[in-house]
């Protein structure tokens, strides 16, 4: 007898094909493949790849870009309002980008706001330099504020260096 004439053999072959067939609309198949379509309520479906983390990374990128517009204490010579050599290049880069971004130009406030007159003089220097470079509304765009990130004290910096 061959498989065509034996009904038992025919049944066994059909069952084996059904078991090893890929998933169909009635089940997930032998290996538990996913069903096609969006079955189930919307709140129970997984998010598309990257949707949850993209907003976090965009926020980080925006904060980093805003930090480019901060003039720190080390951007000035000593306890004066005169710009240091590296700060002049930084100021030129800020002036070029300023019309394309919504961020303010921030002059770092002295520690515990101990020298408000020096902070105002530094702000005035930045405003004058930006106006000289042709930036409009520089008076409104330059503010004095604490820096985004807290700095290290000398003791903390030395300890971090030797670690």
């Amino acid at each position: 007898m061959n498989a065509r004439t034996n009904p038992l053999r025919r049944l066994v072959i059909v069952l084996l094909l059904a078991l090893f067939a890929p998933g169909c609309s009635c089940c997930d198949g032998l290996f538990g493949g996913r069903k096609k379509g969006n079955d189930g309520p919307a709140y129970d479906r997984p998010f598309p790849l990257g949707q949850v983390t993209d907003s976090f990374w965009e926020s980080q990128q925006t904060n980093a870009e805003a930090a480019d517009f901060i003039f720190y204490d080390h951007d000035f010579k000593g306890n004066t309002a005169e710009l240091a050599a590296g700060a002049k290049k930084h100021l030129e880069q800020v002036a070029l980008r300023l019309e394309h971004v919504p961020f303010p130009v921030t002059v770092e406030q002295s520690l515990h706001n101990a020298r408000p007159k020096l902070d105002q003089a530094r702000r005035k220097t930045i405003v004058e330099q930006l106006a000289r470079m042709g930036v409009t509304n520089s008076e409104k765009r330059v503010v004095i504020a604490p820096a985004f990130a807290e700095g290290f004290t000398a003791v903390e910096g030395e300890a971090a260096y030797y670690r």
Side-chain angles (χ1 to χ4, degrees), residues 107-159:
V107 176
E108 182 183 24
Q109 186 179 40
S110 56
L111 190 61
H112 306 297
N113 200 17
R115 301 174 290 186
K117 289 183 182 179
L118 177 61
D119 296 341
Q120 286 295 332
R122 289 176 172 179
R123 179 186 178 278
K124 184 180 175 189
T125 299
I126 297 293
V127 168
E128 288 172 353
Q129 293 296 321
L130 287 173
R132 185 181 61 79
M133 293 179 194
V135 175
T136 57
N137 290 336
S138 60
E139 183 70 35
K140 293 180 182 178
R141 298 285 301 264
V142 180
V143 297
I144 299 171
F148 284 166
E150 248 182 67
F152 286 110
T153 65
V155 174
E156 292 170 333
E158 182 181 11

Side-chain angles (χ1 to χ4, degrees), residues 50-72:
Q51 180 179 358
V52 175
T53 59
D54 279 353
S55 61
F56 170 77
W57 294 118
E58 287 171 9
S59 166
Q60 292 285 48
Q61 183 178 357
T62 303
N63 289 342
E65 194 172 345
D68 291 344
F69 294 87
I70 299 175
F71 285 88
Y72 297 96

